[in-house]
Amino acid sequence: MKKNILSPLVMIFFLAVLAVTNSNAAVVFESTWGTLGTLTGQFDTPESVAVDKLGNVYVGDIASAVPGNISDRIQIFNSNGTSITAFGTTGSSLTVAPLPQFNTIKGVAVDSKRNFYAIEDNNDRVQKFNSNCAMITNWGVNGTGNGSFAYPYGIAVYSTSASSTTTTGSSATCLTTTSTEIVTENVYVSDTYNFRVQRFNTSTTYTTTTKVTAGTTTVTNTVTDTGGTFATVWGQGPLAGAKSGNGEFNYAWGIAVDNSGATTYVYVADQKNHRIQKFNKDGVFILAWGSQGTANGQFKNPRGVAVDSSGNVFITDTDNNRVQKFNTNGTFLTSWGSAGTGNGQFDTPIGIAVSSAGKIYVADKNNHRIQKFYETPDVPPVPPVPAGPQILTIVGGVKGYVNPSLGEICDIKYQAGFAGAVTISIFSSSGIMVRKITGLTSDGSTVSTYHYDCKDDTGGSLSTGIYTVKIDGPTLSLVRKFAIAR
């Protein structure tokens, strides 16, 4: 089949697209852990995952109706999936003896001090624990008022802190130094069936008091917590029902906060609107992207959201069984995953978290496991260094042209700059490709010769005219002309 040679403008556009789509950045599967079961390290239906600043992984697991199931618990692992602890059982009590109780953990989050939070769908509340798994505070009841919830599904937190040091007394008698750090946690909850997002403020005061009296030093550490103070709310609210306008929700699910830059942003997975919405920290709408579908940038019930240290946004596209990555403006960057049980495949992925080291953790719900991934650097490929000169010459005829009727042939002499395959294409003066010659090679260091019989792809002889020879190979793309006359 004869083809038109690409115009220079079209060729430039083609190469630009190729440079984008052939980026060598990739998401690579690293490891997985978990199977269906009740033992430590096993899961029933893990839906939520979070990572602390040390790289430890927190997983919220939901109990099913299986007799003897002891899920409705939080399990903590190191970054490689080795169990650190597991605690919790099914219930609604706020007692912590012998175990804290949960009912359908839909979201987990960790703050800068490694306090962690759990949002409970069926208990309509938030519970907060310190790094030793001791309960700090809790809030929330079923309802539609501020501070109440109706099946909340997502939780996110970012922290700010302020420190001070005071010294009193006399060094000759009694010297007291008090160091105080006040950490304010801003907690965002996607109040799913109330079609809104609520923000709360919690505060933890860490106080270290050092007394020196007559050469004796005494150090006292105290921690004081307050929490669950309602701050703001946005969305259409429960009475309005599901909507699709900017800042409105049709079941807000996953939520994530980006506090890496000068401005704090909040991203919400608007599940049944099949889109992501972006807000400032006070709930002012900024932008939205996505629609229902399977193409890049489209979603089918997105549920999990995470943000990395560069502000990139990762979405679990749950019913498409994949993860998609976007920049902060909603521009699609990459995706991975398909339906299945193999490494890198998913069955209803929901929770997602990204560590400070760039490790990506996905709660693969119906495969009863956590999968861990990492990204390879997006470094442009380095072309091979030419081993020799690039050569293309045409030899044939006696008067500046080739006359096949006299038995003259055309020798095409070539040398690529690097060893590899070579292709020769012949074009007419109107840009029609009349012959394509494949199966040639160059060793990169010597000149090769191809004896061209001056025929086209059908075996017919070329007519009188000017022809172009184009040769392509490793670090080689040259063009020369020759003439045929009879």
Side-chain angles (χ1 to χ4, degrees):
M1 178 179 179
K2 298 180 180 180
K3 303 176 182 178
N4 288 321
I5 189 170
L6 294 173
S7 70
L9 182 59
V10 173
M11 180 64 79
I12 291 171
F13 173 78
F14 174 77
L15 293 176
V17 172
L18 192 66
V20 173
T21 57
N22 281 2
S23 168
N24 66 332
V27 176
V28 179
F29 170 84
E30 182 171 325
S31 63
T32 184
W33 69 89
T35 56
L36 177 62
T38 61
L39 300 176
T40 299
Q42 293 182 315
F43 304 106
D44 187 339
T45 50
E47 287 201 7
S48 51
V49 62
V51 185
D52 68 19
K53 64 183 181 181
L54 302 181
N56 297 318
V57 182
Y58 300 68
V59 181
D61 193 18
I62 300 172
S64 68
V66 177
N69 193 294
I70 59 169
S71 289
D72 273 327
R73 61 180 177 174
I74 293 176
Q75 297 194 63
I76 305 176
F77 305 86
N78 70 11
S79 61
N80 296 317
T82 301
S83 176
I84 297 174
T85 189
F87 70 103
T89 188
T90 301
S92 58
S93 173
L94 287 171
T95 181
V96 294
L99 291 171
Q101 294 186 352
F102 305 101
N103 195 337
T104 316
I105 302 169
K106 287 291 186 178
V108 290
V110 190
D111 68 19
S112 62
K113 290 294 186 179
R114 298 176 58 231
N115 302 311
F116 60 95
Y117 301 75
I119 189 79
E120 300 172 73
D121 173 2
N122 287 333
N123 279 334
D124 294 303
R125 69 185 180 191
V126 176
Q127 293 194 66
K128 177 184 178 182
F129 302 86
N130 66 19
S131 58
N132 295 317
C133 302
M135 183 187 293
I136 296 174
T137 189
N138 62 84
W139 70 90
V141 294
N142 179 260
T144 59
N146 293 337
S148 298
F149 304 113
Y151 301 105
Y153 282 179
I155 187 166
V157 58
Y158 80 90
S159 305
T160 58
S161 64
S163 301
S164 63
T165 301
T166 59
T167 301
T168 59
S170 170
S171 59
T173 55
C174 178
L175 193 66
T176 301
T177 301
T178 302
S179 298
T180 303
E181 181 183 13
I182 301 176
V183 179
T184 300
E185 294 95 8
N186 303 273
V187 182
Y188 293 84
V189 175
S190 52
D191 188 7
T192 305
Y193 278 68
N194 278 331
F195 305 104
R196 65 186 183 182
V197 171
Q198 296 190 67
R199 191 187 85 196
F200 302 86
N201 294 331
T202 74
S203 180
T204 307
T205 302
Y206 301 86
T207 305
T208 301
T209 303
T210 304
K211 284 188 176 183
V212 180
T213 305
T216 300
T217 301
T218 303
V219 180
T220 303
N221 292 301
T222 59
V223 179
T224 304
D225 293 283
T226 62
T229 303
F230 172 81
T232 190
V233 63
W234 70 88
Q236 70 271 28
L239 298 180
K243 289 190 174 183
S244 58
N246 292 339
E248 297 174 332
F249 301 106
N250 189 351
Y251 297 106
W253 194 296
I255 188 167
V257 182
D258 176 19
N259 196 40
S260 61
T263 303
T264 299
Y265 297 112
V266 181
Y267 298 88
V268 182
D270 189 5
Q271 183 203 356
K272 291 190 180 298
N273 281 326
H274 310 286
R275 66 181 180 180
I276 305 302
Q277 294 199 65
K278 177 180 178 180
F279 304 87
N280 73 7
K281 64 182 180 65
D282 298 314
V284 176
F285 174 82
I286 297 176
L287 63 88
W289 71 89
S291 60
Q292 186 171 8
T294 60
N296 293 337
Q298 292 185 315
F299 305 102
K300 189 175 181 182
N301 293 315
R303 296 183 185 174
V305 187
V307 182
D308 68 14
S309 58
S310 299
N312 298 308
V313 185
F314 296 78
I315 309 297
T316 52
D317 187 6
T318 302
D319 288 348
N320 280 326
N321 287 300
R322 65 183 179 183
V323 175
Q324 297 195 64
K325 177 185 176 183
F326 303 84
N327 69 13
T328 188
N329 296 317
T331 301
F332 173 83
L333 299 176
T334 191
S335 69
W336 73 95
S338 60
T341 60
N343 294 337
Q345 294 184 313
F346 301 108
D347 186 352
T348 317
I350 295 184
I352 187 167
V354 184
S355 73
S356 58
K359 304 295 185 179
I360 306 162
Y361 299 87
V362 179
D364 190 6
K365 176 182 175 180
N366 290 334
N367 280 327
H368 317 286
R369 65 184 180 181
I370 301 297
Q371 293 198 66
K372 178 182 178 182
F373 303 87
Y374 66 94
E375 290 188 280
T376 59
D378 187 5
V379 178
V382 178
V385 178
Q390 301 176 46
I391 297 171
L392 174 60
T393 57
I394 311 298
V395 179
V398 294
K399 298 181 179 180
Y401 56 85
V402 179
N403 189 342
S405 62
L406 298 179
E408 297 175 355
I409 64 171
C410 178
D411 282 343
I412 302 174
K413 296 182 177 293
Y414 61 91
Q415 178 180 331
F418 200 82
V422 170
T423 298
I424 295 175
S425 302
I426 313 296
F427 297 90
S428 69
S429 59
S430 61
I432 301 297
M433 186 172 70
V434 296
R435 182 77 178 272
K436 186 173 185 178
I437 304 159
T438 60
L440 307 177
T441 60
S442 173
D443 63 10
S445 59
T446 58
V447 176
S448 300
T449 300
Y450 177 75
H451 301 294
Y452 178 43
D453 58 8
C454 298
K455 293 183 178 180
D456 61 21
D457 280 334
T458 67
S461 297
L462 299 184
S463 58
T464 298
I466 305 297
Y467 292 85
T468 298
V469 177
K470 185 174 184 292
I471 188 164
D472 295 288
T475 69
L476 173 65
S477 183
L478 297 174
V479 174
R480 297 288 184 270
K481 293 184 181 296
F482 73 101
I484 290 182
R486 298 179 185 276

